[in-house]
Amino acid sequence: MPTKPSAETPDTAAERQEAFTAEERAAMKAHAQEQRKTAARRGLSRAEKEAAAERDVLAKIAEMPAADRVLAERVHDIVRAAAPDLRAKLWYGMPAYARDGKVVCHFQSAEKFGTRYATLGFSDQAALDDGAVWPTAYALKELTEAGEQRIGALVRKAAG
């Protein structure tokens, strides 16, 4: 005999899908598309794969609204200068920078999740540990020279 669904368990696909916001569903779709692109690049040389990933990141940045695009372009340049060994890649539709395929840091536009500021986030791969508590994301509204220097120092430290 079938059991009656509980109040906490969604009983239809539509109800289960509503568990994620539209932005979260879009990020998951972007990640799936990124995985398909990666699979399609099998057989290419490492340099060709890295160049294609760099083009993907730059194209994603170019699609951003002006305020986010300016920040993302500047962050991209800072990361490339501060940690040239990190490789650009898309991660859930966001520009990210990885070592050995694992994301170290990423830029999240304000528009992506409808927030009032963009963020520069760091993963557990980042070497930013400082005692028992340390920040892993930084709000970005504008980049001054001092802010750019701080980001450069954070990225250098994160990259190890």
Side-chain angles (χ1 to χ4, degrees), residues 88-151:
K89 68 183 273 181
L90 288 178
W91 183 65
Y92 292 94
M94 296 178 283
Y97 306 89
R99 181 186 327 104
D100 299 325
K102 296 181 180 178
V103 171
V104 173
C105 61
H106 70 280
F107 176 85
Q108 180 179 301
S109 71
E111 185 248 357
K112 182 153 185 85
F113 291 104
T115 59
R116 64 185 180 92
Y117 49 80
T119 58
L120 176 63
F122 293 90
S123 76
D124 63 333
Q125 299 297 310
L128 294 176
D129 302 34
D130 184 17
V133 178
W134 61 90
T136 59
Y138 295 82
L140 304 175
K141 292 283 285 174
E142 64 177 304
L143 285 177
T144 63
E145 186 175 329
E148 290 181 6
Q149 289 176 1
R150 183 169 183 199
I151 289 170

Side-chain angles (χ1 to χ4, degrees), residues 51-108:
E54 179 87 12
R55 285 190 303 271
D56 290 345
V57 166
L58 293 174
K60 182 57 75 174
I61 290 170
E63 295 172 1
M64 293 178 185
D68 287 337
R69 185 175 57 249
V70 168
L71 290 172
E73 288 170 344
R74 201 58 209 117
V75 166
H76 181 78
D77 291 343
I78 293 166
V79 172
R80 305 304 287 142
D85 59 318
L86 295 183
R87 299 291 169 240
K89 68 183 273 181
L90 288 178
W91 183 65
Y92 292 94
M94 296 178 283
Y97 306 89
R99 181 186 327 104
D100 299 325
K102 296 181 180 178
V103 171
V104 173
C105 61
H106 70 280
F107 176 85
Q108 180 179 301

